[in-house]
Amino acid sequence: MYILQAQDIYKKFNSTEVLKGISLQVEKGEVIAIIGPSGSGKSTFLRCLNRLETIDRGRIEIQGGIMVENDAGGRAVYSSEKDIARMRQKMGMVFQSFNLFPHMSVLENLMLAPLLVNKADPDQARETALALLNKVGLENNANSYPFELSGGMQQRVAIARALALNPDIMCFDEPTSALDPELTGEVLQVMKDLAMEHMTMVVVTHEIGFAREVAQRVIFMDEGLIVEEGKAEEVLLNPCQERTRNFLSKVL
Ligand code: ADP
Ligand code: MG
């Protein structure tokens, strides 16, 4: 069963074609790692999936709802804002910069969207938030403010916050790239735990060890295209394409 299907996604910024026909199907419970050089369109692709960016052409379907599809001329036509909001909620996003609300406590960061978006019961939202903080090992930091936390802790809060809306799929865009090396492990561990619980995940990452250990499928992107994809061990240990080999020799 597919949770997410993206077909033939094209995206231009001004005259620069950044995505040149990207397709991806994500199965329930699957962990997919997207790797590739800087500027290859990985972040743009993730942002398009969630309509943080519009697309020029293509089709995106999320769990039974169609977010955008082509008209007869191949142009992208979006669903209503209401339907998009509903589908977006199924997708949790975690970015390189943690983007926590600086003036809110950790607990408030986690409770905000459930209260505003889902009109959750406050006691229930608090209980869920505390359980999620426990899950990411931050049960003692509910009343801390982001500036009081290390980068690794802030990123774990960001993950918990994304989980608070109970998404069907979690997308991560280089979640450890902004962290000091000694702090990446704790964030990767939280992600591994999620994978063990069969959370569906799409992870843009330069952590090849993590991709090898946790991802079932690896996608190598270059210049707005998927150049190679397959089982993690095949793409990472025995790539077919010269461009993949070349990239891996630089990051490993
Ligand atoms: P990656 O995440 O693989 O490093 P990006 O998706 O961030 O790649 O960027 C792909 C290309 O698109 C880059 O050349 C980048 O400069 C360009 N780009 C990304 N976002 C924008 C934007 N908002 N406006 C103009 N160009 C952009
Ligand atoms: Mg990027």
Side-chain angles (χ1 to χ4, degrees), residues 46 90-94 158-164 167-172 194 199-203:
L46 274 198
K90 295 171 186 282
M91 202 185 292
M93 293 288 255
V94 176
I159 294 172
R161 185 178 60 175
L163 290 169
D168 292 328
I169 176 167
M170 286 282 285
C171 296
F172 296 84
L194 280 179
M199 172 58 81
T200 311
M201 293 161 62
V202 177
V203 186

Side-chain angles (χ1 to χ4, degrees), residues 135-136 156 159 185-195:
K135 189 185 178 93
V136 300
R156 286 187 280 150
I159 294 172
E186 63 194 57
V187 172
L188 294 176
Q189 187 57 51
V190 166
M191 294 166 67
K192 276 181 209 172
D193 293 346
L194 280 179

